[in-house]
Amino acid sequence: MHHIITAQLKLNPSYQFFLLFFGITLTFSAQNKQLRAFTLEDGLPQSQIYAMTQDYKGYLWLGTQGGGLARFDGEVFNVFNEKNGLASNYIYALSAANDTLYIGTKEGLSIKLKHNFQNIECPKVNKIVKIEKQVYLLTIKGVYKLNTEASLEKVMLHPEIDMSQVKDLLYYDNYFWIATQDGLWRFNDFNGVVNSIEKLERGDFTTLVGSKNKVYASTFNDGTIVLDAQNPDNQVLIREPLQINNSALLDDNQLWIASDSQGVSVLNMDNNSELFSLNTSNGLSVPNVKQVLQDRQSNIWLATSGGGLFKYFQNNFKHYNTETGLNGNRIYAVHHYNNTIWISNSENGLIRIDNLGIHNVDIPETFSDIKIKTIASDSKGNIWAGSDGRGLLFHGHIDIDSSRKDGFSALKNGIPKTLKISKILNTDTGFPFDWIRKIKVHHDTIYAATYSSGIVQFKYNAQQDKLTILKTFGKTEGIKDLNIKDMVFDNSNKLWYTTQNGHLGYLKNNTISHLGQVLNQSISLNSILFEKNTLFLGTAGNGIWWSNKDNFSTFKKLQGLKEGASNNIYQLIFDDQGYLWAGTERGVDKLQLDKDNVITDAFFFGRNEGFLGIETCLNAVDKDNRGHLWFGALYGLTEFQPFEGTQESKQPKLFLEDVKVAYNSVDTIDLGLWSNSNRVLQLTPDQRQVSFSFKTVDLDHPDGIGYRYRLNDNEWSPWTSNSTQDFSELNFGAHDFDVQSRNHRWKESDPQRFSFYIDSPLFQKPVFQAFIIGLITLIIVVLVLQYVKRLKRKNQNDKQRLQLENHLLSLEQKALRLQMNPHFIFNVLNGIKAMAPTKPDKMNETVNSFASLLRETLVNSRKDSISLDQEIKTLEHYIQVEQLMAEKPFTYEIVAKSEIDTEELLVPPMLIQPFVENAIRHGILKGPRPGELTVKFDSTEDTLKVTIQDNGIGIYHSQQQKTKTDHQSMALKVTRERLESISGKDALMIKEIKQQDGTIAGTTIVFEIPLETDY
């Protein structure tokens, strides 16, 4: 059996003093781990930092020895050195004013304005001081001032000052105070009058601070002298620390003094007493601190020579690691019992932390070099620890009977009634398994969850060293997944367990109720927690789930407006204020839940926020009787001390860092003046690519900054961590770029607007377009005028041509009529000739009728058109002449059907007569029947229809009897041509009239001419 037995003694004060210094390892202030170091591994170019300043944007600027200049935004160091134009990589002084950074180097002054450096030679610069608007350089050879034209002028004060190292300059209480290597000086005017300068003290003075009518003048070798500002003879000497490099007034009442060999001492300026110190014994890696600076977020930064940069946290976390007494940094298990915190420390056994400090727990050697993954305590205060491969450890006490004779009875004075023992329970001593994941105790019954063999229920009587295995719950008993991850008792004494593959179940009355994969996914349920009848599950990769159902059959994912920093949940615990804390691989999340378990707010604590343990260890978390939370992590143990109230988050400030046009920075404008102003950047038409860089500097939460933007009146973009935005192929015209940031608390900055105008190309300018439109209009007008002119000329030509054609047509028609008139006269004269011998009376009548007809024909032939009434009279005279000459009598009828008076209707003269003549001579006179001739005129809205009908032999039969030289055929042909010229082709229709027996009964001629009137 493995026993270690120690006596529980009641000690007097002398023994207590002895044990405090020899028996245990005392804790330190633990304020050491409010210090975070930034070294070369974090991106620092050099570990020797001699100067610091913070610019108006919030950037922290660091001057190094050999590494050049570094700009820090809380996450990334951007380095500038001689390759970028810096005068020297050895920097001793920094000062920022607006967007200008003044850099004091061993080669003189460098001025950084935006992306460029301007270098001015002068002696090595120790410090840069700005009083009102004047910049002074304190060098190894006196004081220089910077003129407006970026030139230096030496200020002649006193021969001793002008040739010595000047280390500090202070204007306080109407006096100028100068600290030099040879003494402390005071004067009331910077005009160089020697008589006004007073040397107050001799010595190597390094730094000056003024407060409450006092000047604190620190030296390198003799401590700090406190002088009355008006009566310097009234002095107080603070002898320590020595070798002072720098001092700073912080929080209105604290003087932080940085020294070469003693770190930092913090003094209460009311009584000049030391409040605390920061040195190599409590967090600093080197004792040489060059400067102390407090930023606008109240963080305090320490620049060291050789140790890099340190950030001092003023928060509610207290951190423990090997530098404060732990044996190792990995904390696998945390347990609280009776005002004491028990932890397993890497592979170095157990540690106990109480009001007296940090103590190593004396346990068997075989159990001190393994991983202890779980710690619990029973009702008697005994400690139980489960390990990887070595079983269980019992560490507690047993009662001693003074009457026993087992060796202890030999002790006399001071023999205790109890003895502490440690006992290992494993497969060698009767316990069934050696790999223990979790231990839970209920009354005097212990439950041990193994890695892959289920849950062991047992009892142990330490007094009798008796182990009783009550039962092992495995697959046979209902646990379907034996890879147990966590266990917890609820209010009804059910023992709940979670598994590697997402199973949930509980043990009650020695019966397993296995609920299976309650999240319907094979994912590790790392942690289980009950709070007010609500069950919370922390998963590996899928966040936190909860259920308050009676049988916990359905779960919901814990969600809300905000969310935690990671979905890998290793720890779950509620604090006394009702916040749910979740340990992850990134740190811890503090979640505020409403009554419906919706996340209403979330606070993340990582390395930047003071949680220096970083990645938490599985279920290594507990709460002590004061409500403090203890988190075990890979890099130490962190205690969280709740406080009343919360610090209000400040509104973030957003700045435009750069504007690029066509991928080139616009260096000619001050972006600070152009943002949110009426100024508009004018761009040319080919400058349509514009990009913006913007930044909110948060040294505490650099990864918690989000940005959103919009162009013109578009919707805001989603929040993103990207701090640049590019636009290409932008439209011509006016544009407004708006950007806004928010911090880790989602407090939003004021939007920043930058306006620019992309000029339109010449072809898109309104003036040019108006000119082009006018020119095109003019050209069109000219072309139209030319066209109209040509059209008029063409119309004139066409008119002349048409007039000529019309004249020719008229002549042609007259010629046609003249062709018809001789023919008609020839026929009549032949008839009169035939009548002369036999019918003189008829001949006279014929001659009279012919004379009237001839007169009408001569009159009508000179006209283009005559009235229909005149045409009918002419036809009647002609028919009457034909009747007088005809050997065979015939009758005729002329019918005019028209709504228009025949005197108003116009027809071409001599157009109808040839058809009438042809009907009489070649139709009626050759036919066997008494002749009948009918002429009809029918008018429509557009045409005059003429119908000539006879009852002769038929036109086709008559044509067969004609000779080729028949004069009537010629007349008919000429008339047809004339009709076609008036009405077009196919205007004439001729058909024979057939009877039912097929014989020919005559001929019908029909044609239409355009209707014309004389009005």
Side-chain angles (χ1 to χ4, degrees):
M1 297 178 66
H2 299 81
H3 283 91
I4 291 182
I5 303 177
T6 59
Q8 181 70 31
L9 302 177
K10 295 182 179 180
L11 303 177
N12 58 36
S14 62
Y15 288 122
Q16 291 179 6
F17 179 84
F18 178 83
L19 283 180
L20 283 175
F21 283 90
F22 299 96
I24 59 177
T25 303
L26 288 178
T27 182
F28 296 101
S29 167
Q31 287 178 340
N32 63 306
K33 282 332 226 180
Q34 290 177 331
L35 285 172
R36 177 190 169 182
F38 295 89
T39 63
L40 301 179
E41 295 178 354
D42 299 296
L44 264 179
Q46 225 278 345
S47 62
Q48 291 180 300
I49 303 174
Y50 274 42
M52 293 187 297
T53 191
Q54 188 177 27
D55 65 17
Y56 76 107
K57 293 181 180 179
Y59 285 114
L60 193 66
W61 293 87
L62 310 173
T64 70
Q65 292 295 291
L69 178 69
R71 187 187 72 181
F72 186 49
D73 64 358
E75 187 173 23
V76 177
F77 292 93
N78 288 328
V79 179
F80 307 87
N81 50 39
E82 294 175 1
K83 294 180 180 179
N84 305 108
L86 189 65
S88 172
N89 288 336
Y90 291 84
I91 299 172
Y92 297 88
L94 291 172
S95 179
N98 297 326
D99 60 348
T100 303
L101 182 68
Y102 301 97
I103 308 158
T105 74
K106 73 174 184 177
E107 301 295 336
L109 176 67
S110 288
I111 303 175
K112 184 180 186 300
L113 183 61
K114 294 187 177 179
H115 306 288
N116 302 315
F117 289 93
Q118 181 180 1
N119 300 319
I120 306 173
E121 289 187 6
C122 69
K124 188 186 84 170
V125 180
N126 292 324
K127 192 169 184 178
I128 302 173
V129 178
K130 186 176 182 182
I131 299 177
E132 294 181 348
K133 295 183 179 181
Q134 182 63 57
V135 175
Y136 296 97
L137 307 184
L138 313 183
T139 75
I140 60 173
K141 291 185 179 181
V143 179
Y144 289 77
K145 68 178 181 179
L146 180 66
N147 296 324
T148 54
E149 61 273 14
S151 62
L152 293 179
E153 178 185 350
K154 187 166 184 177
V155 181
M156 307 304 294
L157 297 172
H158 189 278
E160 287 188 44
I161 298 176
D162 298 340
M163 296 306 297
S164 66
Q165 286 203 44
V166 181
K167 297 184 178 180
D168 205 355
L169 171 64
L170 173 69
Y171 181 71
Y172 182 72
D173 212 1
N174 298 320
Y175 284 98
F176 289 94
W177 303 74
I178 290 185
T180 73
Q181 190 177 20
D182 298 321
L184 175 66
W185 304 75
R186 187 183 75 161
F187 57 96
N188 55 15
D189 194 4
F190 228 128
N191 57 12
V193 179
V194 176
N195 293 333
S196 66
I197 299 178
E198 179 184 5
K199 189 173 184 179
L200 303 177
E201 296 289 338
R202 295 184 180 275
D204 185 1
F205 284 84
T206 57
T207 180
L208 301 169
V209 171
S211 175
K212 299 179 180 180
N213 301 319
K214 297 178 180 179
V215 173
Y216 292 76
S218 298
T219 69
F220 191 77
N221 297 313
D222 302 316
T224 300
I225 302 175
V226 185
L227 302 94
D228 188 293
Q230 295 298 323
N231 184 14
D233 293 333
N234 187 3
Q235 303 178 1
V236 175
L237 176 64
I238 304 175
R239 296 186 178 277
E240 290 188 348
L242 301 176
Q243 298 181 332
I244 297 173
N245 294 318
N246 173 261
S247 61
L249 174 63
L250 306 182
D251 296 333
D252 294 331
N253 198 44
Q254 293 182 1
L255 183 65
W256 288 59
I257 301 177
S259 68
D260 231 26
S261 59
Q262 295 176 276
V264 176
S265 295
V266 182
L267 304 183
N268 184 338
M269 300 180 72
D270 290 335
N271 54 22
N272 298 327
S273 62
E274 185 178 72
L275 297 174
F276 61 91
S277 63
L278 301 173
N279 48 51
T280 54
S281 66
N282 57 8
L284 291 179
S285 58
V286 294
N288 192 344
V289 179
K290 292 298 184 181
Q291 186 180 345
V292 177
L293 173 72
Q294 187 172 32
D295 64 24
R296 288 194 289 272
Q297 294 174 269
S298 298
N299 298 306
I300 298 173
W301 300 84
L302 310 180
T304 72
S305 178
L309 177 68
F310 284 84
K311 178 182 179 182
Y312 176 76
F313 291 96
Q314 300 187 67
N315 54 33
N316 299 85
F317 289 102
K318 184 182 290 186
H319 195 69
Y320 303 83
N321 60 10
T322 54
E323 296 178 4
T324 58
L326 300 185
N327 295 329
N329 285 332
R330 291 202 174 191
I331 310 300
Y332 292 119
V334 176
H335 177 68
H336 167 260
Y337 176 76
N338 195 23
N339 299 323
T340 301
I341 296 297
W342 297 77
I343 63 172
S344 64
N345 198 191
S346 296
E347 287 80 34
N348 289 299
L350 293 176
I351 284 181
R352 177 171 55 88
I353 303 175
D354 56 21
N355 292 333
L356 297 178
I358 300 175
H359 317 268
N360 286 314
V361 178
D362 194 8
I363 59 176
E365 183 178 352
T366 56
F367 218 80
S368 61
D369 60 350
I370 58 171
K371 294 180 181 179
I372 298 175
K373 290 297 187 66
T374 178
I375 303 173
S377 59
D378 58 25
S379 58
K380 297 180 180 180
N382 300 313
I383 297 300
W384 290 88
S387 69
D388 284 359
R390 301 280 178 86
L392 291 164
L393 171 69
F394 172 84
H395 181 78
H397 60 272
I398 59 174
D399 296 331
I400 300 297
D401 186 356
S402 60
S403 63
R404 291 179 55 179
K405 297 179 181 180
D406 53 4
F408 294 104
S409 59
L411 297 175
K412 294 184 180 179
N413 296 329
I415 292 180
K417 293 185 179 180
T418 62
L419 288 178
K420 286 225 172 186
I421 67 168
S422 294
K423 171 66 182 294
I424 297 176
L425 304 177
N426 54 24
T427 52
D428 295 333
T429 59
F431 196 78
F433 308 108
D434 290 335
W435 291 81
I436 309 300
R437 170 80 74 181
K438 191 74 174 181
I439 299 174
K440 283 295 177 181
V441 180
H442 183 62
H443 300 306
D444 60 347
T445 303
I446 300 110
Y447 297 85
T450 67
Y451 273 68
S452 60
S453 302
I455 302 172
V456 180
Q457 181 188 42
F458 67 96
K459 292 185 178 183
Y460 178 67
N461 188 325
Q463 197 75 29
Q464 300 176 4
D465 190 19
K466 180 180 180 182
L467 172 66
T468 304
I469 304 298
L470 301 177
K471 192 171 184 178
T472 299
F473 300 90
K475 285 191 174 182
T476 304
E477 288 71 24
I479 302 179
K480 297 181 180 179
D481 182 12
L482 299 180
N483 295 317
I484 307 295
K485 297 293 288 187
D486 197 11
M487 291 193 308
V488 67
F489 279 102
D490 65 10
N491 295 331
S492 61
N493 295 325
K494 292 179 182 176
L495 179 61
W496 291 82
Y497 61 87
T498 60
T499 74
Q500 176 73 34
N501 297 307
H503 291 255
L504 175 68
Y506 63 88
L507 172 63
K508 180 73 179 288
N509 297 328
N510 289 333
T511 302
I512 293 292
S513 296
H514 194 82
L515 305 182
Q517 292 181 335
V518 292
L519 303 185
N520 298 318
Q521 49 188 313
S522 181
I523 188 170
S524 179
L525 302 182
N526 288 338
S527 302
I528 180 171
L529 175 68
F530 275 95
E531 178 72 13
K532 297 180 180 178
N533 298 320
T534 300
L535 176 59
F536 294 88
L537 299 176
T539 69
N542 201 15
I544 303 171
W545 295 70
W546 65 276
S547 176
N548 55 12
K549 302 296 182 181
D550 292 338
N551 55 1
F552 302 107
S553 58
T554 58
F555 282 80
K556 297 180 181 179
K557 190 172 184 179
L558 194 63
Q559 294 176 322
L561 182 63
K562 297 184 179 182
E563 58 183 15
S566 173
N567 284 323
N568 292 314
I569 309 302
Y570 298 150
Q571 303 170 351
L572 288 175
I573 193 170
F574 274 91
D575 63 18
D576 290 344
Q577 288 73 38
Y579 291 98
L580 175 62
W581 293 73
T584 71
E585 84 282 5
R586 298 185 59 190
V588 291
D589 290 317
K590 177 183 175 183
L591 307 177
Q592 182 178 359
L593 310 181
D594 64 11
K595 60 182 180 60
D596 298 319
N597 288 322
V598 174
I599 301 176
T600 58
D601 208 348
F603 305 81
F604 171 70
F605 300 95
R607 190 178 181 186
N608 284 330
E609 292 75 26
F611 188 85
L612 304 184
I614 307 179
E615 182 174 352
T616 58
C617 292
L618 184 64
N619 296 319
V621 63
D622 208 347
K623 180 172 62 176
D624 65 21
N625 58 300
R626 300 168 297 172
H628 294 192
L629 303 182
W630 296 77
F631 300 94
L634 294 183
Y635 299 97
L637 175 70
T638 298
E639 176 189 6
F640 176 75
Q641 303 173 353
F643 64 94
E644 296 295 331
T646 58
Q647 184 177 359
E648 182 67 19
S649 176
K650 295 181 180 179
Q651 183 184 30
K653 292 184 178 181
L654 176 65
F655 300 92
L656 280 177
E657 292 217 301
D658 194 13
V659 175
K660 290 184 178 180
V661 176
Y663 306 102
N664 295 315
S665 295
V666 182
D667 292 329
T668 57
I669 63 174
D670 186 342
L671 294 177
L673 297 178
W674 282 62
S675 299
N676 291 342
S677 70
N678 295 325
R679 304 183 185 187
V680 179
L681 180 64
Q682 300 292 330
L683 303 179
T684 60
D686 58 341
Q687 294 176 322
R688 299 173 61 190
Q689 189 282 331
V690 183
S691 62
F692 297 90
S693 298
F694 34 87
K695 188 73 173 181
T696 287
V697 179
D698 189 333
L699 297 177
D700 285 335
H701 310 92
D703 54 354
I705 301 298
Y707 304 93
R708 65 176 181 175
Y709 67 90
R710 68 180 176 188
L711 187 64
N712 303 325
D713 294 327
N714 296 323
E715 295 293 328
W716 284 101
S717 69
W719 289 101
T720 176
S721 60
N722 187 16
S723 61
T724 61
Q725 184 57 45
D726 298 327
F727 298 99
S728 60
E729 298 300 321
L730 288 170
N731 295 328
F732 303 112
H735 296 280
D736 291 319
F737 174 74
D738 295 318
V739 63
Q740 191 176 27
S741 69
R742 70 180 184 187
N743 61 16
H744 70 294
R745 300 298 307 131
W746 287 21
K747 180 164 287 189
E748 297 176 357
S749 71
D750 293 329
Q752 295 292 310
R753 168 168 290 192
F754 186 87
S755 300
F756 59 100
Y757 183 88
I758 303 177
D759 197 10
S760 302
L762 183 61
F763 66 87
Q764 288 193 3
K765 290 182 178 295
V767 175
F768 180 79
Q769 291 176 345
F771 171 76
I772 293 298
I773 292 173
L775 180 61
I776 293 174
T777 303
L778 179 61
I779 293 173
I780 292 174
V781 169
V782 171
L783 292 176
V784 169
L785 291 177
Q786 291 292 332
Y787 175 75
V788 170
K789 186 176 181 181
R790 288 196 303 270
L791 187 61
K792 284 183 177 181
R793 188 182 301 116
K794 181 177 180 297
N795 290 340
Q796 186 68 25
N797 295 335
D798 290 344
K799 181 179 180 182
Q800 293 176 356
R801 180 178 56 79
L802 290 174
Q803 287 176 347
L804 179 60
E805 290 178 354
N806 188 44
H807 180 65
L808 292 174
L809 180 60
S810 177
L811 293 176
E812 181 182 356
Q813 290 177 351
K814 289 179 180 179
L816 290 173
R817 290 197 295 272
L818 291 174
Q819 289 177 10
M820 293 184 292
N821 291 339
H823 178 70
F824 170 68
I825 294 170
F826 175 76
N827 289 336
V828 173
L829 291 176
N830 281 339
I832 293 173
K833 181 180 177 183
M835 294 180 188
T838 59
K839 301 177 182 179
D841 296 335
K842 188 175 182 180
M843 179 189 70
N844 291 332
E845 185 178 358
T846 302
V847 170
N848 291 333
S849 297
F850 176 68
S852 297
L853 176 62
L854 185 60
R855 184 174 60 253
E856 292 175 349
T857 302
L858 290 173
V859 173
N860 293 339
S861 63
R862 300 181 62 86
K863 299 179 180 179
D864 292 331
S865 61
I866 61 174
S867 67
L868 179 59
D869 179 68
Q870 185 64 39
E871 179 70 12
I872 291 173
K873 289 179 180 179
T874 302
L875 286 176
E876 287 178 342
H877 289 151
Y878 168 73
I879 295 172
Q880 291 173 1
V881 171
E882 287 288 359
Q883 283 179 329
L884 292 172
M885 295 189 301
E887 298 178 355
K888 178 182 177 180
F890 66 91
T891 60
Y892 74 93
E893 181 183 15
I894 298 176
V895 180
K897 295 181 179 179
S898 175
E899 295 180 356
I900 304 174
D901 195 323
T902 55
E903 292 184 355
E904 297 176 349
L905 288 172
L906 300 178
V907 296
M910 299 299 292
L911 180 65
I912 303 169
Q913 183 272 336
F915 296 108
V916 174
E917 180 182 356
N918 190 71
I920 295 172
R921 291 182 176 273
H922 300 286
I924 294 174
L925 296 180
K926 293 181 180 183
R929 295 176 292 275
E932 294 179 359
L933 175 63
T934 302
V935 180
K936 293 182 180 180
F937 296 94
D938 297 299
S939 67
T940 64
E941 292 182 358
D942 301 320
T943 62
L944 177 65
K945 181 180 179 183
V946 181
T947 305
I948 304 167
Q949 184 174 323
D950 67 73
N951 61 347
I953 62 175
I955 190 171
Y956 300 118
H957 183 67
S958 173
Q959 288 177 351
Q960 292 175 2
Q961 296 178 0
K962 292 181 181 179
T963 63
K964 293 183 179 179
T965 60
D966 187 83
H967 296 287
Q968 186 63 29
S969 298
M970 183 182 297
L972 188 61
K973 179 180 179 182
V974 172
T975 303
R976 183 190 295 271
E977 292 175 357
R978 185 183 177 200
L979 180 61
E980 289 180 353
S981 69
I982 296 173
S983 301
K985 291 184 178 182
D986 301 326
L988 180 64
M989 184 183 68
I990 302 175
K991 67 178 180 178
E992 293 181 334
I993 301 173
K994 293 183 179 181
Q995 296 183 349
Q996 292 183 355
D997 57 359
T999 59
I1000 302 301
T1003 302
T1004 299
I1005 296 176
V1006 180
F1007 62 86
E1008 293 182 356
I1009 59 174
L1011 182 66
E1012 294 185 16
T1013 62
D1014 62 354
Y1015 55 86

